[in-house]
Amino acid sequence: MLGERLAAALGAARDGAAGIESFAHLLGSRRVGPRGVALALPEVCEGCAALVVALDSLSAAVRDGFVETDSAVADDAAAADAACAVLGHAGVEVARLTDELSRAAAGAPPARGSGRGRADRGGSERGIDARQRLGLEASVRRTARELSGALRLSELVIATLELRPTPLDLIDVLRNWSAAPAEGRPVVGISVASSDGRANEVEGDVRAVSGLMELAVGMVSAAGVASPHLAVSRLSDGRSTVRIAERGPREGAPAVALDVVLRDGGERAAAVARVVARRARIELVEGTGGRVVTMTF
């Protein structure tokens, strides 16, 4: 089980991220008038400020968690660094949003019952204007996307503290990927081919295996591969390998076609992929230019 401190810090960060996501939906709802948005701003500002603190606490808890672990896999410091890098980036983004929302709240008219004059009360009916609202919505959604990616990446690293290897079928793992649209994240089509049914059978932690394959798809997509192709095969030594790249003209028809939400493919995501692979004992090799990623189990 995760330590109480780490679990509590992760829960606080998730709650804060959910608050920002909810505010994004409120801004996009035409059922909520400008005054309602103005009234919500102070509370959201407080929530964002608390989230910055929660992300810092989560980073500290992650680092301490890797120091305390008895894992036989080396490079715990690198794993903590990778998780803290994405959390630090998210913290900067939330701090930026906090400043922006604070400025908007300061410029918004006061609510009814605040003790101000009639002119101010009349202004509170107006709230923020349409142009300001659209700008806030875009900014809040941007932060929500950054938080979603950062928490997902950090959770993947945290999962390696408690790896639970089980027999897996790689095709089943792929089929369980969510194709549901995600705000601001494109859905891409991928194809999967397996030359040997036995190659699909591997031993591994499903969170690490699934997360790594999703990150690899994001990595090759970021390098310019529009429709990634996953080829699963068996090596002569009995190990299974997954090659993610552009489909070659001589490759056979894909066994599975999937639509997946395109995940992060930047350097922070690649750093997470490398440390998760090392800790999960999965060999990960990146080809020149990042257009090919191979994982061997």
Side-chain angles (χ1 to χ4, degrees):
M1 296 292 291
L2 289 178
E4 291 184 5
R5 178 188 170 204
L6 183 52
L10 185 56
R14 287 171 176 164
D15 289 345
I20 289 179
E21 187 70 38
S22 295
F23 188 54
H25 290 309
L26 182 146
L27 286 167
S29 174
R30 296 302 169 250
R31 295 183 178 182
V32 180
R35 179 172 176 266
V37 173
L39 291 174
L41 276 171
E43 183 177 350
V44 178
C45 288
E46 292 179 6
C48 285
L51 179 54
V52 172
V53 176
L55 290 170
D56 286 342
S57 297
L58 179 55
S59 291
V62 166
R63 196 167 294 283
D64 290 346
F66 278 96
V67 169
E68 296 167 2
T69 183
D70 293 327
S71 171
V73 182
D75 221 357
D76 288 346
D81 288 345
C84 291
V86 296
L87 291 171
H89 174 74
V92 170
E93 177 63 24
V94 176
R96 178 203 62 78
L97 179 64
T98 303
D99 289 341
E100 183 174 346
L101 294 180
S102 296
R103 290 194 300 271
R112 286 185 181 273
S114 63
R116 302 294 181 87
R118 179 178 299 176
D120 283 340
R121 290 200 302 271
S124 70
E125 295 289 351
R126 294 189 298 273
I128 64 173
D129 62 36
R131 182 176 180 181
Q132 186 181 17
R133 179 171 181 163
L134 287 173
L136 283 178
E137 182 180 355
S139 185
V140 172
R141 290 193 182 280
R142 165 185 155 181
T143 302
R145 288 193 299 269
E146 293 288 342
L147 273 170
S148 175
L151 288 178
R152 178 184 164 277
L153 289 172
S154 62
E155 287 169 0
L156 181 56
V157 177
I158 291 170
T160 67
L161 286 168
E162 296 180 338
L163 288 170
R164 297 189 289 268
T166 60
L168 300 174
D169 185 300
L170 290 175
I171 300 299
D172 286 344
V173 171
L174 293 170
R175 285 189 173 123
N176 287 332
W177 279 0
S178 171
E183 188 65 45
R185 295 185 185 275
V187 175
V188 299
I190 66 171
S191 58
V192 183
S194 178
S195 59
D196 181 349
R198 295 175 302 167
N200 304 335
E201 301 170 2
V202 301
E203 185 89 5
D205 182 284
V206 65
R207 298 164 300 174
V209 173
S210 177
L212 278 173
M213 288 198 288
E214 286 195 74
L215 284 178
V217 169
M219 289 160 66
V220 299
S221 296
V225 177
S227 299
H229 177 68
L230 284 74
V232 184
S233 59
R234 200 169 185 84
L235 302 178
S236 59
D237 60 8
R239 294 184 298 165
S240 295
T241 184
V242 176
R243 182 178 183 272
I244 304 174
E246 202 162 19
R247 184 180 174 190
R250 296 185 178 181
E251 290 182 293
V256 182
L258 299 169
D259 288 330
V260 300
V261 176
L262 183 59
R263 299 293 185 177
D264 306 75
E267 180 52 38
R268 282 182 292 270
V272 166
R274 294 174 197 127
V275 299
V276 170
R278 280 199 296 270
R279 290 181 59 80
R281 300 182 184 276
I282 298 172
E283 182 182 318
L284 185 145
V285 177
E286 302 164 65
T288 303
R291 294 178 62 87
V292 180
V293 175
T294 303
M295 291 177 291
T296 304
F297 301 86

